[in-house]
Each structure stands twice: as structure tokens, then as C-alpha cells.
Amino acid sequence: MLRHLSIRDFVIVDRLELEFAAGFGALTGETGAGKSILLDALGLALGGKAEAGVVRSGQARAEIVAEFDLPADGPLRDWLAGQDIDADEGSLMLRRVIESGGRSKAWLNGTPVVLAQLRSAGEWLADIHGQHAHQSLMRGEAQ
């Protein structure tokens, strides 16, 4: 479960801190309220592709931190142990920094990782589906 999301200098967001409680959560709001920006930031924290354009104008870098509950046992914990990533606290912190030139850096619980490792961990934690995600079924490579 997502516990905390922190966003800094991402698109139009200066700083944002969100805490999530246990149970069902929903992001709602009018068109243009920023729901997509939050989901895009979470997608980057989970290992999504980053572009230089996501850094807020005039800033050197954007930073996204997402903290998830980590189950006491299970495949993700085993995977983290296999990667020599500390997972003793009961949570997993994903951190992604995107520089204005387009390069990015990633960390899992403070350990520097390559993007493929961040993406692998992210696959255990969340699935993000947009309103047109079903349209990928129209593409042969997605089938």
C-alpha cells in the first residue's frame, strides 16, 4: 500500500506531500486539478520513462519519493534481499531524481539502483491504468 508521496519541482508542482491512510483511496477533482500529474509522478517513482520536460521550469531537477508498506514476507522481500537492498523497516522507499537535461537517478531504501531494478520493484507494488489503457489491446505488440 502507498503510504506517502512527495513531489518536488515536477511539471508545475513546487512541493507536494501526500499521506495515505489504510483502506481505499481515490483521487478526484475537476479537469485540470492535477490528478494526472500525481499519477505521472508516481509512475516515474515506479520506474517509468522520464523526459527532461518534467522538471519544473527554472529548476535543476525534479524529485519524487514514494513510500510503500512492505509485506513481512513474500516475493518482493526475497527480490530485495537478492539485490542486497535493506528491507528491515517494513517499508520500501522509492526515490527518483530527474535532472533538467533528462538524466535520472534512482534509489530503493537509500541504495542506488539502475532503472531496471527500480522498475522491477515497482512491478510488485502498483499498477497504474489510465482512462485509455484498454486501447493498448488494439496494438499487436501489447496483445
Side-chain angles (χ1 to χ4, degrees):
M1 182 190 97
L2 180 62
R3 281 193 209 174
H4 182 88
L5 182 64
S6 172
I7 302 170
R8 191 179 83 212
D9 296 325
F10 181 73
V11 188
I12 62 169
V13 176
D14 177 18
R15 292 183 189 270
L16 177 69
E17 301 280 335
L18 291 173
E19 296 285 336
F20 296 91
F24 178 77
L27 294 173
T28 64
E30 305 238 351
T31 300
K35 301 175 300 291
S36 294
I37 291 173
L38 292 176
L39 290 176
D40 289 347
L42 181 58
L44 286 175
L46 294 166
K49 184 177 185 212
E51 298 174 3
V54 301
V55 178
R56 192 166 68 98
S57 179
Q59 300 303 311
R61 70 189 58 82
E63 180 177 12
I64 299 118
V65 178
E67 183 179 357
F68 288 84
D69 284 326
L70 183 62
D73 58 1
L76 177 55
R77 191 173 284 270
D78 294 340
W79 182 87
L80 291 167
Q83 305 294 309
D84 291 327
I85 297 170
D86 181 35
D88 293 333
E89 299 297 318
S91 67
L92 181 60
M93 187 172 300
L94 292 78
R95 179 175 173 228
R96 182 94 179 265
V97 173
I98 299 100
E99 297 174 0
S100 60
R103 295 179 49 101
S104 74
K105 298 176 184 173
W107 293 262
L108 288 171
N109 277 355
T111 301
V113 296
V114 297
L115 189 56
Q117 288 173 298
L118 185 67
R119 190 175 300 117
S120 291
E123 288 174 359
W124 294 101
L125 295 168
D127 285 319
I128 298 175
H129 299 279
Q131 65 182 355
H132 299 294
H134 67 281
Q135 292 177 350
S136 66
L137 292 175
M138 302 299 278
R139 296 188 329 263
E141 66 274 7
Q143 296 175 11

PDB file of all heavy atoms in Angstrom, residues 79-80 83-86 92-97 104-119 121:
ATOM      1  N   TRP A  79      13.194 -10.665  -3.437  1.00  0.00           N
ATOM      2  CA  TRP A  79      13.884  -9.999  -4.537  1.00  0.00           C
ATOM      3  C   TRP A  79      14.827  -8.921  -4.002  1.00  0.00           C
ATOM      4  O   TRP A  79      15.968  -8.811  -4.450  1.00  0.00           O
ATOM      5  CB  TRP A  79      12.856  -9.400  -5.499  1.00  0.00           C
ATOM      6  CG  TRP A  79      13.482  -8.726  -6.684  1.00  0.00           C
ATOM      7  CD1 TRP A  79      13.844  -9.293  -7.862  1.00  0.00           C
ATOM      8  CD2 TRP A  79      13.832  -7.345  -6.785  1.00  0.00           C
ATOM      9  NE1 TRP A  79      14.401  -8.350  -8.691  1.00  0.00           N
ATOM     10  CE2 TRP A  79      14.407  -7.142  -8.062  1.00  0.00           C
ATOM     11  CE3 TRP A  79      13.715  -6.244  -5.928  1.00  0.00           C
ATOM     12  CZ2 TRP A  79      14.855  -5.906  -8.491  1.00  0.00           C
ATOM     13  CZ3 TRP A  79      14.164  -5.009  -6.365  1.00  0.00           C
ATOM     14  CH2 TRP A  79      14.726  -4.857  -7.630  1.00  0.00           C
ATOM     15  N   LEU A  80      14.352  -8.134  -3.033  1.00  0.00           N
ATOM     16  CA  LEU A  80      15.195  -7.091  -2.440  1.00  0.00           C
ATOM     17  C   LEU A  80      16.434  -7.689  -1.785  1.00  0.00           C
ATOM     18  O   LEU A  80      17.543  -7.165  -1.944  1.00  0.00           O
ATOM     19  CB  LEU A  80      14.396  -6.273  -1.418  1.00  0.00           C
ATOM     20  CG  LEU A  80      13.305  -5.379  -1.991  1.00  0.00           C
ATOM     21  CD1 LEU A  80      12.384  -4.880  -0.891  1.00  0.00           C
ATOM     22  CD2 LEU A  80      13.905  -4.217  -2.763  1.00  0.00           C
ATOM     23  N   GLN A  83      19.015  -8.482  -4.217  1.00  0.00           N
ATOM     24  CA  GLN A  83      19.663  -7.292  -4.777  1.00  0.00           C
ATOM     25  C   GLN A  83      20.535  -6.583  -3.738  1.00  0.00           C
ATOM     26  O   GLN A  83      21.057  -5.501  -3.996  1.00  0.00           O
ATOM     27  CB  GLN A  83      18.604  -6.309  -5.293  1.00  0.00           C
ATOM     28  CG  GLN A  83      17.624  -6.862  -6.281  1.00  0.00           C
ATOM     29  CD  GLN A  83      18.275  -7.258  -7.585  1.00  0.00           C
ATOM     30  OE1 GLN A  83      19.006  -6.492  -8.187  1.00  0.00           O
ATOM     31  NE2 GLN A  83      18.029  -8.485  -8.010  1.00  0.00           N
ATOM     32  N   ASP A  84      20.646  -7.170  -2.541  1.00  0.00           N
ATOM     33  CA  ASP A  84      21.383  -6.551  -1.420  1.00  0.00           C
ATOM     34  C   ASP A  84      20.810  -5.191  -1.033  1.00  0.00           C
ATOM     35  O   ASP A  84      21.543  -4.236  -0.749  1.00  0.00           O
ATOM     36  CB  ASP A  84      22.878  -6.410  -1.741  1.00  0.00           C
ATOM     37  CG  ASP A  84      23.580  -7.761  -1.810  1.00  0.00           C
ATOM     38  OD1 ASP A  84      23.177  -8.670  -1.056  1.00  0.00           O
ATOM     39  OD2 ASP A  84      24.515  -7.897  -2.618  1.00  0.00           O
ATOM     40  N   ILE A  85      19.492  -5.101  -1.022  1.00  0.00           N
ATOM     41  CA  ILE A  85      18.803  -3.873  -0.627  1.00  0.00           C
ATOM     42  C   ILE A  85      18.134  -4.116   0.718  1.00  0.00           C
ATOM     43  O   ILE A  85      17.352  -5.058   0.876  1.00  0.00           O
ATOM     44  CB  ILE A  85      17.773  -3.448  -1.692  1.00  0.00           C
ATOM     45  CG1 ILE A  85      18.499  -3.123  -3.001  1.00  0.00           C
ATOM     46  CG2 ILE A  85      16.949  -2.260  -1.202  1.00  0.00           C
ATOM     47  CD1 ILE A  85      17.599  -2.917  -4.185  1.00  0.00           C
ATOM     48  N   ASP A  86      18.449  -3.273   1.681  1.00  0.00           N
ATOM     49  CA  ASP A  86      17.916  -3.390   3.038  1.00  0.00           C
ATOM     50  C   ASP A  86      16.395  -3.255   3.020  1.00  0.00           C
ATOM     51  O   ASP A  86      15.849  -2.336   2.414  1.00  0.00           O
ATOM     52  CB  ASP A  86      18.525  -2.309   3.924  1.00  0.00           C
ATOM     53  CG  ASP A  86      18.033  -2.392   5.352  1.00  0.00           C
ATOM     54  OD1 ASP A  86      17.810  -3.510   5.844  1.00  0.00           O
ATOM     55  OD2 ASP A  86      17.867  -1.324   5.984  1.00  0.00           O
ATOM     56  N   LEU A  92       9.176   0.298   1.962  1.00  0.00           N
ATOM     57  CA  LEU A  92      10.091   0.419   0.839  1.00  0.00           C
ATOM     58  C   LEU A  92       9.956   1.823   0.280  1.00  0.00           C
ATOM     59  O   LEU A  92       8.868   2.255  -0.085  1.00  0.00           O
ATOM     60  CB  LEU A  92       9.777  -0.614  -0.251  1.00  0.00           C
ATOM     61  CG  LEU A  92      10.698  -0.597  -1.466  1.00  0.00           C
ATOM     62  CD1 LEU A  92      12.146  -0.875  -1.063  1.00  0.00           C
ATOM     63  CD2 LEU A  92      10.236  -1.616  -2.492  1.00  0.00           C
ATOM     64  N   MET A  93      11.076   2.558   0.245  1.00  0.00           N
ATOM     65  CA  MET A  93      11.084   3.913  -0.261  1.00  0.00           C
ATOM     66  C   MET A  93      11.734   3.931  -1.643  1.00  0.00           C
ATOM     67  O   MET A  93      12.878   3.514  -1.806  1.00  0.00           O
ATOM     68  CB  MET A  93      11.835   4.852   0.675  1.00  0.00           C
ATOM     69  CG  MET A  93      11.719   6.294   0.256  1.00  0.00           C
ATOM     70  SD  MET A  93      12.400   7.441   1.455  1.00  0.00           S
ATOM     71  CE  MET A  93      11.414   7.090   2.880  1.00  0.00           C
ATOM     72  N   LEU A  94      10.979   4.392  -2.625  1.00  0.00           N
ATOM     73  CA  LEU A  94      11.469   4.548  -3.991  1.00  0.00           C
ATOM     74  C   LEU A  94      11.721   6.030  -4.208  1.00  0.00           C
ATOM     75  O   LEU A  94      10.835   6.853  -3.968  1.00  0.00           O
ATOM     76  CB  LEU A  94      10.435   4.066  -5.000  1.00  0.00           C
ATOM     77  CG  LEU A  94      10.138   2.571  -5.037  1.00  0.00           C
ATOM     78  CD1 LEU A  94       9.227   2.151  -3.920  1.00  0.00           C
ATOM     79  CD2 LEU A  94       9.531   2.212  -6.353  1.00  0.00           C
ATOM     80  N   ARG A  95      12.914   6.363  -4.662  1.00  0.00           N
ATOM     81  CA  ARG A  95      13.263   7.767  -4.900  1.00  0.00           C
ATOM     82  C   ARG A  95      13.796   7.905  -6.313  1.00  0.00           C
ATOM     83  O   ARG A  95      14.613   7.101  -6.750  1.00  0.00           O
ATOM     84  CB  ARG A  95      14.317   8.232  -3.903  1.00  0.00           C
ATOM     85  CG  ARG A  95      14.741   9.670  -4.101  1.00  0.00           C
ATOM     86  CD  ARG A  95      15.700  10.104  -3.003  1.00  0.00           C
ATOM     87  NE  ARG A  95      16.215  11.422  -3.304  1.00  0.00           N
ATOM     88  CZ  ARG A  95      17.495  11.745  -3.260  1.00  0.00           C
ATOM     89  NH1 ARG A  95      18.395  10.851  -2.904  1.00  0.00           N
ATOM     90  NH2 ARG A  95      17.880  12.963  -3.566  1.00  0.00           N
ATOM     91  N   ARG A  96      13.323   8.926  -6.997  1.00  0.00           N
ATOM     92  CA  ARG A  96      13.749   9.170  -8.380  1.00  0.00           C
ATOM     93  C   ARG A  96      14.030  10.643  -8.536  1.00  0.00           C
ATOM     94  O   ARG A  96      13.220  11.489  -8.145  1.00  0.00           O
ATOM     95  CB  ARG A  96      12.628   8.740  -9.328  1.00  0.00           C
ATOM     96  CG  ARG A  96      12.930   8.892 -10.798  1.00  0.00           C
ATOM     97  CD  ARG A  96      13.477   7.593 -11.368  1.00  0.00           C
ATOM     98  NE  ARG A  96      13.763   7.678 -12.778  1.00  0.00           N
ATOM     99  CZ  ARG A  96      12.937   7.306 -13.741  1.00  0.00           C
ATOM    100  NH1 ARG A  96      11.745   6.826 -13.442  1.00  0.00           N
ATOM    101  NH2 ARG A  96      13.306   7.402 -14.996  1.00  0.00           N
ATOM    102  N   VAL A  97      15.196  10.962  -9.085  1.00  0.00           N
ATOM    103  CA  VAL A  97      15.583  12.336  -9.369  1.00  0.00           C
ATOM    104  C   VAL A  97      15.793  12.440 -10.871  1.00  0.00           C
ATOM    105  O   VAL A  97      16.547  11.651 -11.448  1.00  0.00           O
ATOM    106  CB  VAL A  97      16.863  12.733  -8.606  1.00  0.00           C
ATOM    107  CG1 VAL A  97      17.343  14.105  -9.037  1.00  0.00           C
ATOM    108  CG2 VAL A  97      16.620  12.694  -7.103  1.00  0.00           C
ATOM    109  N   SER A 104      18.468  10.630 -15.193  1.00  0.00           N
ATOM    110  CA  SER A 104      17.801  10.378 -13.924  1.00  0.00           C
ATOM    111  C   SER A 104      18.617   9.428 -13.070  1.00  0.00           C
ATOM    112  O   SER A 104      19.476   8.693 -13.571  1.00  0.00           O
ATOM    113  CB  SER A 104      16.390   9.831 -14.143  1.00  0.00           C
ATOM    114  OG  SER A 104      16.417   8.499 -14.567  1.00  0.00           O
ATOM    115  N   LYS A 105      18.338   9.473 -11.772  1.00  0.00           N
ATOM    116  CA  LYS A 105      18.971   8.586 -10.799  1.00  0.00           C
ATOM    117  C   LYS A 105      17.856   7.981  -9.961  1.00  0.00           C
ATOM    118  O   LYS A 105      16.794   8.592  -9.783  1.00  0.00           O
ATOM    119  CB  LYS A 105      19.941   9.355  -9.907  1.00  0.00           C
ATOM    120  CG  LYS A 105      21.089   9.977 -10.669  1.00  0.00           C
ATOM    121  CD  LYS A 105      21.957  10.796  -9.739  1.00  0.00           C
ATOM    122  CE  LYS A 105      23.042  11.495 -10.535  1.00  0.00           C
ATOM    123  NZ  LYS A 105      23.806  12.417  -9.708  1.00  0.00           N
ATOM    124  N   ALA A 106      18.125   6.783  -9.427  1.00  0.00           N
ATOM    125  CA  ALA A 106      17.090   6.091  -8.652  1.00  0.00           C
ATOM    126  C   ALA A 106      17.687   5.416  -7.426  1.00  0.00           C
ATOM    127  O   ALA A 106      18.856   5.002  -7.437  1.00  0.00           O
ATOM    128  CB  ALA A 106      16.398   5.052  -9.536  1.00  0.00           C
ATOM    129  N   TRP A 107      16.853   5.291  -6.385  1.00  0.00           N
ATOM    130  CA  TRP A 107      17.250   4.642  -5.150  1.00  0.00           C
ATOM    131  C   TRP A 107      16.096   3.795  -4.633  1.00  0.00           C
ATOM    132  O   TRP A 107      14.928   4.141  -4.796  1.00  0.00           O
ATOM    133  CB  TRP A 107      17.571   5.677  -4.077  1.00  0.00           C
ATOM    134  CG  TRP A 107      18.764   6.513  -4.344  1.00  0.00           C
ATOM    135  CD1 TRP A 107      20.031   6.335  -3.865  1.00  0.00           C
ATOM    136  CD2 TRP A 107      18.821   7.716  -5.126  1.00  0.00           C
ATOM    137  NE1 TRP A 107      20.854   7.331  -4.327  1.00  0.00           N
ATOM    138  CE2 TRP A 107      20.141   8.193  -5.107  1.00  0.00           C
ATOM    139  CE3 TRP A 107      17.871   8.425  -5.869  1.00  0.00           C
ATOM    140  CZ2 TRP A 107      20.544   9.338  -5.759  1.00  0.00           C
ATOM    141  CZ3 TRP A 107      18.269   9.574  -6.537  1.00  0.00           C
ATOM    142  CH2 TRP A 107      19.598  10.015  -6.482  1.00  0.00           C
ATOM    143  N   LEU A 108      16.440   2.692  -3.991  1.00  0.00           N
ATOM    144  CA  LEU A 108      15.489   1.870  -3.249  1.00  0.00           C
ATOM    145  C   LEU A 108      15.997   1.800  -1.817  1.00  0.00           C
ATOM    146  O   LEU A 108      17.120   1.322  -1.579  1.00  0.00           O
ATOM    147  CB  LEU A 108      15.393   0.455  -3.829  1.00  0.00           C
ATOM    148  CG  LEU A 108      14.673   0.323  -5.163  1.00  0.00           C
ATOM    149  CD1 LEU A 108      14.836  -1.086  -5.721  1.00  0.00           C
ATOM    150  CD2 LEU A 108      13.200   0.663  -5.013  1.00  0.00           C
ATOM    151  N   ASN A 109      15.206   2.294  -0.881  1.00  0.00           N
ATOM    152  CA  ASN A 109      15.612   2.348   0.532  1.00  0.00           C
ATOM    153  C   ASN A 109      17.009   2.922   0.703  1.00  0.00           C
ATOM    154  O   ASN A 109      17.814   2.445   1.492  1.00  0.00           O
ATOM    155  CB  ASN A 109      15.510   0.981   1.200  1.00  0.00           C
ATOM    156  CG  ASN A 109      14.105   0.677   1.663  1.00  0.00           C
ATOM    157  OD1 ASN A 109      13.218   1.522   1.573  1.00  0.00           O
ATOM    158  ND2 ASN A 109      13.878  -0.519   2.137  1.00  0.00           N
ATOM    159  N   GLY A 110      17.318   3.953  -0.068  1.00  0.00           N
ATOM    160  CA  GLY A 110      18.595   4.637   0.056  1.00  0.00           C
ATOM    161  C   GLY A 110      19.747   4.007  -0.714  1.00  0.00           C
ATOM    162  O   GLY A 110      20.827   4.568  -0.772  1.00  0.00           O
ATOM    163  N   THR A 111      19.517   2.856  -1.319  1.00  0.00           N
ATOM    164  CA  THR A 111      20.547   2.182  -2.109  1.00  0.00           C
ATOM    165  C   THR A 111      20.418   2.605  -3.569  1.00  0.00           C
ATOM    166  O   THR A 111      19.349   2.450  -4.151  1.00  0.00           O
ATOM    167  CB  THR A 111      20.396   0.648  -2.009  1.00  0.00           C
ATOM    168  OG1 THR A 111      20.508   0.249  -0.639  1.00  0.00           O
ATOM    169  CG2 THR A 111      21.442  -0.073  -2.844  1.00  0.00           C
ATOM    170  N   PRO A 112      21.495   3.138  -4.162  1.00  0.00           N
ATOM    171  CA  PRO A 112      21.418   3.497  -5.587  1.00  0.00           C
ATOM    172  C   PRO A 112      21.154   2.259  -6.437  1.00  0.00           C
ATOM    173  O   PRO A 112      21.754   1.201  -6.214  1.00  0.00           O
ATOM    174  CB  PRO A 112      22.808   4.072  -5.899  1.00  0.00           C
ATOM    175  CG  PRO A 112      23.437   4.356  -4.584  1.00  0.00           C
ATOM    176  CD  PRO A 112      22.811   3.430  -3.595  1.00  0.00           C
ATOM    177  N   VAL A 113      20.242   2.391  -7.385  1.00  0.00           N
ATOM    178  CA  VAL A 113      19.886   1.277  -8.273  1.00  0.00           C
ATOM    179  C   VAL A 113      19.797   1.775  -9.704  1.00  0.00           C
ATOM    180  O   VAL A 113      19.651   2.972  -9.947  1.00  0.00           O
ATOM    181  CB  VAL A 113      18.546   0.612  -7.861  1.00  0.00           C
ATOM    182  CG1 VAL A 113      18.648  -0.032  -6.486  1.00  0.00           C
ATOM    183  CG2 VAL A 113      17.399   1.615  -7.896  1.00  0.00           C
ATOM    184  N   VAL A 114      19.876   0.848 -10.635  1.00  0.00           N
ATOM    185  CA  VAL A 114      19.639   1.195 -12.040  1.00  0.00           C
ATOM    186  C   VAL A 114      18.130   1.201 -12.272  1.00  0.00           C
ATOM    187  O   VAL A 114      17.356   0.626 -11.493  1.00  0.00           O
ATOM    188  CB  VAL A 114      20.361   0.231 -13.009  1.00  0.00           C
ATOM    189  CG1 VAL A 114      21.870   0.320 -12.818  1.00  0.00           C
ATOM    190  CG2 VAL A 114      19.869  -1.184 -12.832  1.00  0.00           C
ATOM    191  N   LEU A 115      17.727   1.840 -13.344  1.00  0.00           N
ATOM    192  CA  LEU A 115      16.301   1.996 -13.629  1.00  0.00           C
ATOM    193  C   LEU A 115      15.589   0.649 -13.742  1.00  0.00           C
ATOM    194  O   LEU A 115      14.444   0.502 -13.291  1.00  0.00           O
ATOM    195  CB  LEU A 115      16.105   2.812 -14.900  1.00  0.00           C
ATOM    196  CG  LEU A 115      14.683   3.238 -15.216  1.00  0.00           C
ATOM    197  CD1 LEU A 115      14.068   4.012 -14.059  1.00  0.00           C
ATOM    198  CD2 LEU A 115      14.659   4.070 -16.481  1.00  0.00           C
ATOM    199  N   ALA A 116      16.245  -0.354 -14.299  1.00  0.00           N
ATOM    200  CA  ALA A 116      15.619  -1.673 -14.428  1.00  0.00           C
ATOM    201  C   ALA A 116      15.288  -2.259 -13.057  1.00  0.00           C
ATOM    202  O   ALA A 116      14.251  -2.911 -12.889  1.00  0.00           O
ATOM    203  CB  ALA A 116      16.533  -2.621 -15.205  1.00  0.00           C
ATOM    204  N   GLN A 117      16.128  -2.022 -12.064  1.00  0.00           N
ATOM    205  CA  GLN A 117      15.844  -2.513 -10.716  1.00  0.00           C
ATOM    206  C   GLN A 117      14.661  -1.762 -10.114  1.00  0.00           C
ATOM    207  O   GLN A 117      13.799  -2.373  -9.474  1.00  0.00           O
ATOM    208  CB  GLN A 117      17.071  -2.346  -9.812  1.00  0.00           C
ATOM    209  CG  GLN A 117      18.205  -3.300 -10.115  1.00  0.00           C
ATOM    210  CD  GLN A 117      19.433  -2.955  -9.306  1.00  0.00           C
ATOM    211  OE1 GLN A 117      19.992  -1.871  -9.445  1.00  0.00           O
ATOM    212  NE2 GLN A 117      19.842  -3.880  -8.453  1.00  0.00           N
ATOM    213  N   LEU A 118      14.625  -0.445 -10.305  1.00  0.00           N
ATOM    214  CA  LEU A 118      13.502   0.338  -9.800  1.00  0.00           C
ATOM    215  C   LEU A 118      12.202  -0.139 -10.431  1.00  0.00           C
ATOM    216  O   LEU A 118      11.193  -0.333  -9.754  1.00  0.00           O
ATOM    217  CB  LEU A 118      13.725   1.826 -10.098  1.00  0.00           C
ATOM    218  CG  LEU A 118      12.696   2.785  -9.525  1.00  0.00           C
ATOM    219  CD1 LEU A 118      12.772   2.808  -8.007  1.00  0.00           C
ATOM    220  CD2 LEU A 118      12.919   4.181 -10.090  1.00  0.00           C
ATOM    221  N   ARG A 119      12.237  -0.368 -11.728  1.00  0.00           N
ATOM    222  CA  ARG A 119      11.056  -0.839 -12.456  1.00  0.00           C
ATOM    223  C   ARG A 119      10.618  -2.214 -11.946  1.00  0.00           C
ATOM    224  O   ARG A 119       9.432  -2.475 -11.759  1.00  0.00           O
ATOM    225  CB  ARG A 119      11.351  -0.880 -13.951  1.00  0.00           C
ATOM    226  CG  ARG A 119      10.129  -1.112 -14.813  1.00  0.00           C
ATOM    227  CD  ARG A 119      10.453  -1.030 -16.300  1.00  0.00           C
ATOM    228  NE  ARG A 119      10.989   0.283 -16.677  1.00  0.00           N
ATOM    229  CZ  ARG A 119      12.211   0.477 -17.166  1.00  0.00           C
ATOM    230  NH1 ARG A 119      13.025  -0.527 -17.371  1.00  0.00           N
ATOM    231  NH2 ARG A 119      12.614   1.695 -17.476  1.00  0.00           N
ATOM    232  N   ALA A 121      11.098  -3.553  -8.958  1.00  0.00           N
ATOM    233  CA  ALA A 121      10.462  -3.391  -7.645  1.00  0.00           C
ATOM    234  C   ALA A 121       9.074  -2.775  -7.813  1.00  0.00           C
ATOM    235  O   ALA A 121       8.111  -3.211  -7.173  1.00  0.00           O
ATOM    236  CB  ALA A 121      11.325  -2.520  -6.745  1.00  0.00           C
TER     237      ALA A 121
END
